[in-house]
Every structure is written in C-alpha cells, then in structure tokens.
Amino acid sequence: MNPQDLPQPPEWGLLLGRVGEGLVWTALFMFLAVFGLSIVSGKKPELERWIKPGIWAGFGALFATISILGSLFFLDQFQFDYIWKHLQTDYEWIYRLSGIWSGQQGSILLWAVMSAFFCAMMMRRSGKYLRWHAGISSLALGAMAGILAFESPFNLIDPADGIMFMPPEGAGMSPTLLNYWMVIHPPTIFAGFGALTGLFALSCSAMLHKDLEGWIPIIRPWAIISTTVLGLGLAMGGLWAYETLGWGGFWAWDPVENASFVPWCLTAALIHGVYIQKAKRGWQMSNLILAGLPFITFVYGTFMTRSGFLDDTSVHSFAEMDGTALKLLIGFLFGTIALYLGLLIWTAVRKREKQPSVGGAEGFLNRKTFFTAGVWTLSGLSFGAAFGMSVPLMMSLSGQKPKAVEEIQYNQTLYFLYVPLMIAMAIAPYLTWNHKSGKELIAKIMTPASAALFISASLLLWAKFGPGGLPADPEATTLLIFGNTVPRLGWTVFTCFFAVFAVVANAWRLFELLPRSKRGIGGELTHIGVAMTILGLIFSRGLEQTAEAVVGQAIPGEVFGRELAYLGSDGSLMERGNTIGIKVKGQGEEFSVHPSLYYQIRQDGQLMDVRWPAIQRRPLHDFYFATGALDSSLTDDIR
C-alpha cells in the first residue's frame, strides 16, 4: 500500500504530541529553575518560598505528560512510533493503560513522575534541609527530564517517501506483557525507585548542611516506605515471572531482577543503620553511604538494562536507547557518583573529631551487634548481585561475548550470606541494646529453635513420602560450590531450616510483645514476611520436578501418577487467549486445567507461538501445566 493511500494523522493528535514534548521541556526548565533558587536562596532567603511550588510545578508537567501519552493510547494514535510498537486496536483498556509504561520511553517517564512526586512529598517535612534537598533533587529530576527530551514517546513514525501517515493498526506489545501484572507491577516498583531519589538528595543535603544527626528522624519513615514499596514490587515481579514461561520462575537472578534487588537490599540495610545511629549515635558516615548507594545502584542498573549490553543475557532487557539520551544517562550516572564521592570525602575530612558514643554497647550479645551483622550481610548480598549482573558488561568491554552469570552460581556463593542473615533476623528481636548473657539468650530462643527443627523435620517427611502422590525425587542432587554433590531433598530442607527459624522466632517474639505494646512489632512482621518469601523460593525451586506427556483426542497421557485427558481447544489457535482443556485424574483427585496456546504472525511473516501456563495451587505444592508448541510441519495449517 502506498503511503498516500494511508490515513493522515489528525491535527489534534499531532498537537497533543507536541504539547507532551513541550511539557517535558517545561519540567526540565522548572527543575533547573529550582536548582538555581536553591543556590541563590543562601544569600536571599526570601526566595526559598518558591522552591516547593517549583518542584510541584515540575511534577505537574510530568504528570500532564504521562496523562497525554495515556490519552493517545486510548485514542489509537498510531502515528507515534512508541504507541505503534505497544498497541493494537483490539486491546482491552487494561492493556492500553499498561502500554503507557511497557517500553523504554514510557518506563523512563514513569520513573521521572514517581521521583518528582516523592521528592515533592519529602520536602513537606524536610525542615532546614529544604534548600539543598530541593537543589539535589532538582538536578536528578532535571537529568531525567533531559533524557526524556531525547528518548521521547512522542516521536512520529518516519515518513515514507516524505509523506506523513498513520497506520491503521499497531504492532502491539510482546505477548508476555499482556498480563494483569503489567498493570500494577511497574507503577508499584517505580514508586519504590522514585523514593530513592529523595533519600539520595536528603543525605546530600545533610552533608551540605554539616548536620549528620538531624536528618535521621526525617529519612527514617521514607526509608521504610521505599523499602516496603520496592519489596512489594519485587514480590509482584516474582509472581509475574512465575506465571510466565521462559522467565525462570519466581527468581532466577536475571540481571534486570538484580537491578531492583540491589537497591532493595541497601535500603533495608539503611533502615537498620538508622536504628543504630538513633539508639547509639555513631554510624554517621555509614548511613550517609547507605542512603546514597540505593539511588546510585539503580541509576547504574538503569544504564545496564537500557544500554543494550544485556540484550543477549536477559529476558527482561529493554531496547537500546537513543544515542544522545544514552550519553545523558551515562553523564547522569558518573555525575551522581562524582557528586556523592566528593561530598563524602569533604564530610569525612571536615569531621575530624568523632562524636562520643552514648550508652555504648558492651559485650557481643546485644542488638547493635546483630543489627550490624544484618547491615553487612544485606550489603554483601547487594554487592554479590551487582557484581553478577555486571559480568556481561565487563565481558563486553574486554572484547568477549557477553554471558550472564548462571542461577546456580549465585545460589552457591550467596548462600554463605543467607545463613547468617537468617540467624541475625531470628535472634536480634530477643536482644536489647545492652549486653545479654548467653544463658538468658539461649533460654529465650530454645523454644522457637525447637519448633523450627520440628517443622523442618515435618517438611522433610512430607516431601519424602509425598501425601497426594507427589514425593520428592530421591535421586536428585545439588551441586555445591566446591564441586561436591549432596542429596537435593536433604540439602533443601537443611537450607529451609534457617528461614523457618527466622519465621518461628519472630512469630514467637511477636506473640510475646502483643500484650504489652503494638508499637514495636513492625520489625517482627517484616522479618516474618521476608523469611516466608525466601522459604517459599527455596522449597519451590529446590524440589520442583518436571515431566512431559503427549496427549491427544484418543491418546491419554500420564504424569506423576495422574492421567491426563484432552478436552479440546476453546477457540482458534490464531485467537489471542485461546486455551487447551486438560482433565487431570488420579491419586484421589480430579480437576481440569486450561493452559493457553495461540499463534501470532510476526513482522517478518513467521508464526510465533504464545504459551501461558495453567497453575493448580496447593498449600505446599503447585501443579504447573504448559503446552508445547506445534510441530513446524503443522503450523501452516492454522494460518
């Protein structure tokens, strides 16, 4: 079809796109203006009153930008390249909404919007730190807006033969993104990422104001919010990956997963460091580092996932960025590192006399010791994950073909940090800031330790004999770091024991605290949630089993002592969302599952199979059903 025969884009659609581009530049101008105000208000304090309105105005411009982009998605404006790549006319409203942040430009815009919102919210209570808190925040937000100015979601499709046109249909998102998790996971996790900008800026402001104590009460609630929201986003991402074939289950140490995990570990470490400083003073420089590193590592992770280095090593990586935008992102990364290192060095040189510790801890068995252990283990986990995700970049820079670090290598090495982390989580709630005797501590943890041992033994028996006809594979082994192998069942349950211990110990402590006070139970609840998540990951991944069966109209199959019967397809194999019915019977139960299988025609004219699993959930195990793709000799018959 000739370009002149295609419909022309409406003027109002083009105008909305130009308004969106203009709003990005408006936000950039507002953030630069706020930075200027933060500098001159040192000599003209009366100008400081314009700082908060300036930040909110920048946020408003970015929010209006993402609103305009959303309206263009809902109005099928395919003349914009970003919308053409992430929308089709038959998409339901939830996929039109999620299309806004499904690609490179939209997700960067979402990051900028969330960052501006959290920075503006934090400034409401930043007190004397407002001036430089706003100045540093506006620099970061200005950098994001600058990247968006070149990595714009409002770029038009290149005209054909010099003629501008609007395609009647779009290419659409990757089928793996057509999922309800796409609607809620990115906004949640980018809200957590957005809060990191404010933490970074506030720690810089503390150094510039030469006050390393007053900022702690301000940053503490925001650190908790950031860690909570970011952790919730990580959990959502794990559930999404579990429901998506080829993404490695809940957690596979994918470089893009690590780019989120590293900042979360560091913000969790920051919370514990803040508690130490609040109770015992000291830890001033350590907390400054812990407050800045989450943001820096996320900017680094953003560079890794969007520069193209991970295209062949990650199933989640984005397309390569516009050249100018990538240079701005690299400059943003190195500028952030240089600014923070400079401020840290300046603060360390200026702070020659250490402030005396108030009520210093005596002995080993006290809360400070175990909080410190938690900070070091969480920091170690973040460093290990950051190093692993950087291997493809290091290989590429050295002229080698990039290769991702395998999941088993992460498990083998980071295991040595997992064990002390779980032990610290289990014991710390029973300690005070002062020394506790060993006998007293043992007496307190004996009951939860015994209960954890009983629960672990029960898990071992359950997995070995398998009620419901699903025992663990007795022949399976696990490869340890030095090349030795051990029975997988025993090793998995032994590893699970430490997470069970952390869960039971914190639950027992929670039971003890509830009658006296409900204010101090947040830590125990958090520890229970984290340990339960890790327990599920280990148990599920360690004992998973797979089996294949060929099932047809008159051909029953069998897996794990259960008979499979084919129930037929509920539609056409060329229809999105088509499912295949399978009846499962045996071991005293009967149910039906409907895994999805359909085909799409790619841009090159070839057929692409799209498969979604069906999951039958049980309290201690799941049945995970996925269909195989048709033989290539049969696919021509379904066109």
Side-chain angles (χ1 to χ4, degrees):
M1 183 178 293
N2 293 325
Q4 56 265 29
D5 297 329
L6 292 172
Q8 299 298 300
E11 285 296 327
W12 60 264
L14 296 174
L15 177 61
L16 277 178
R18 287 192 288 268
V19 171
E21 290 179 328
L23 285 169
V24 172
W25 286 100
T26 300
L28 174 59
F29 171 78
M30 294 306 303
F31 293 135
L32 292 178
V34 170
F35 178 68
L37 284 172
S38 69
I39 294 177
V40 300
S41 62
K43 294 183 177 180
K44 297 183 178 181
E46 66 274 10
L47 295 177
E48 191 171 296
R49 65 191 180 96
W50 296 104
I51 287 179
K52 289 182 182 178
I55 290 289
W56 280 109
F59 163 72
L62 289 174
F63 185 79
T65 303
I66 202 169
S67 300
I68 287 175
L69 180 61
S71 67
L72 294 174
F73 264 92
F74 277 87
L75 295 170
D76 292 334
Q77 296 302 291
F78 294 117
Q79 70 269 28
F80 297 101
D81 183 72
Y82 181 76
I83 295 176
W84 179 81
K85 289 178 178 177
H86 299 88
L87 179 66
Q88 289 181 345
T89 53
D90 63 343
Y91 279 4
E92 296 85 348
W93 72 267
I94 61 171
Y95 300 133
R96 291 174 180 268
L97 178 64
S98 61
I100 299 171
W101 45 74
S102 61
Q104 179 95 271
Q105 297 92 329
S107 60
I108 294 176
L109 176 57
L110 181 62
W111 176 32
V113 170
M114 291 297 186
S115 297
F117 173 74
F118 275 98
C119 287
M121 290 295 292
M122 288 180 68
M123 285 174 202
R124 296 173 61 191
R125 298 184 181 276
S126 57
K128 70 177 184 181
Y129 300 94
L130 171 64
R131 177 189 168 203
W132 285 117
H133 186 193
I136 302 300
S137 295
S138 61
L139 269 182
L141 295 171
M144 297 176 201
I147 292 170
L148 274 171
F150 294 94
E151 191 73 2
S152 173
F154 301 107
N155 290 334
L156 297 170
I157 293 177
D158 291 334
D161 300 328
I163 300 174
M164 186 179 297
F165 65 97
M166 184 173 74
E169 183 58 274
M173 291 184 279
S174 167
T176 57
L177 301 182
L178 297 176
N179 185 280
Y180 61 93
W181 285 116
M182 186 62 194
V183 182
I184 55 178
H185 165 62
T188 302
I189 203 162
F190 273 98
F193 294 148
L196 301 180
T197 310
L199 301 183
F200 172 84
L202 187 57
S203 60
C204 288
S205 180
M207 289 186 278
L208 288 167
H209 279 276
K210 305 177 183 179
D211 182 356
L212 307 185
E213 291 291 340
W215 70 297
I216 291 298
I218 300 173
I219 202 172
R220 176 181 167 184
W222 292 107
I224 293 173
I225 289 172
S226 177
T227 307
T228 302
V229 176
L230 193 52
L232 181 61
L234 281 169
M236 289 179 176
L239 291 169
W240 183 8
Y242 181 59
E243 297 176 6
T244 307
L245 290 176
W247 280 10
F250 287 113
W251 193 261
W253 297 104
D254 183 271
V256 175
E257 294 174 341
N258 290 345
S260 305
F261 178 68
V262 170
W264 180 83
C265 284
L266 291 169
T267 52
L270 170 64
I271 292 173
H272 292 79
V274 165
Y275 274 105
I276 296 173
Q277 182 172 342
K278 190 172 185 295
K280 294 293 180 182
R281 300 184 72 174
W283 272 69
Q284 294 173 336
M285 295 301 299
S286 298
N287 283 329
L288 289 172
I289 294 171
L290 290 172
L293 278 180
F295 178 70
I296 293 173
T297 54
F298 175 67
V299 176
Y300 171 68
T302 301
F303 161 72
M304 288 288 295
T305 57
R306 299 169 192 276
S307 61
F309 281 110
L310 301 181
D311 284 352
D312 299 325
T313 60
S314 171
V315 296
H316 305 97
S317 62
F318 291 85
E320 190 171 346
M321 293 182 71
D322 169 84
T324 303
L326 180 58
K327 291 177 182 176
L328 287 173
L329 178 58
I330 294 172
F332 182 25
L333 172 61
F334 283 102
T336 302
I337 295 173
L339 171 65
Y340 213 68
L341 280 178
L343 286 175
L344 283 173
I345 294 171
W346 175 71
T347 302
V349 171
R350 182 184 52 80
K351 186 176 174 292
R352 295 178 181 177
E353 295 183 4
K354 294 183 178 180
Q355 295 183 354
S357 178
V358 177
E362 298 177 358
F364 175 78
L365 294 176
N366 55 73
R367 185 167 289 186
K368 181 178 180 182
T369 298
F370 281 79
F371 270 41
T372 302
V375 170
W376 279 107
T377 50
L378 286 166
S379 300
L381 284 171
S382 68
F383 174 79
F387 180 82
M389 77 175 183
S390 303
V391 167
L393 173 62
M394 293 185 286
M395 294 179 69
S396 179
L397 294 176
S398 64
Q400 304 177 58
K401 184 178 179 180
K403 181 181 178 182
V405 176
E406 296 180 0
E407 178 186 356
I408 189 173
Q409 294 172 308
Y410 282 104
N411 295 339
Q412 289 173 338
T413 54
L414 297 184
Y415 178 86
F416 295 100
L417 293 171
Y418 153 76
V419 173
L421 178 62
M422 291 297 105
I423 293 174
M425 285 174 55
I427 294 178
Y430 293 89
L431 298 171
T432 64
W433 293 107
N434 298 316
H435 178 69
K436 183 183 289 290
S437 71
K439 290 183 179 180
E440 186 180 357
L441 176 62
I442 291 173
K444 283 184 171 293
I445 66 172
M446 183 60 69
T447 299
S450 301
L453 189 61
F454 173 77
I455 293 172
S456 300
S458 301
L459 286 175
L460 178 63
L461 293 173
W462 178 89
K464 183 175 182 178
F465 297 106
L470 195 64
D473 183 359
E475 305 297 326
T477 59
T478 293
L479 180 66
L480 301 184
I481 189 171
F482 298 114
N484 299 316
T485 58
V486 294
R488 180 171 298 175
L489 173 57
W491 181 254
T492 300
V493 174
F494 172 74
T495 303
C496 285
F497 165 76
F498 298 100
V500 173
F501 181 35
V503 171
V504 175
N506 280 274
W508 188 264
R509 185 60 176 160
L510 186 66
F511 178 76
E512 292 178 341
L513 291 174
L514 274 176
R516 287 179 283 171
S517 172
K518 295 181 175 62
R519 296 186 59 186
I521 64 175
E524 283 72 26
L525 286 172
T526 302
H527 289 169
I528 292 171
V530 171
M532 283 289 292
T533 301
I534 295 174
L535 174 62
L537 288 170
I538 295 172
F539 199 74
S540 172
R541 196 64 165 170
L543 299 182
E544 66 182 8
Q545 301 178 58
T546 60
E548 295 182 2
V550 177
V551 183
Q553 292 283 4
I555 309 174
E558 183 178 343
V559 293
F560 302 122
R562 291 163 175 80
E563 186 178 281
L564 307 181
Y566 177 70
L567 298 178
S569 173
D570 70 348
S572 166
L573 285 171
M574 293 300 293
E575 180 181 346
R576 178 164 62 89
N578 174 66
T579 62
I580 306 296
I582 300 173
K583 185 177 182 179
V584 184
K585 184 177 181 180
Q587 301 295 331
E589 61 180 349
E590 182 176 329
F591 57 88
S592 297
V593 292
H594 297 270
S596 179
L597 171 64
Y598 62 96
Y599 283 80
Q600 287 188 340
I601 300 177
R602 300 186 313 198
Q603 294 298 308
D604 59 5
Q606 298 297 313
L607 282 176
M608 174 181 64
D609 63 281
V610 182
R611 295 175 290 153
W612 287 93
I615 304 173
Q616 190 75 10
R617 303 185 187 276
R618 295 287 187 270
L620 290 175
H621 68 267
D622 289 348
F623 289 105
Y624 193 93
F625 295 87
T627 62
L630 294 179
D631 186 273
S632 59
S633 62
L634 303 176
T635 54
D636 289 338
D637 298 332
I638 67 172
R639 288 180 182 268

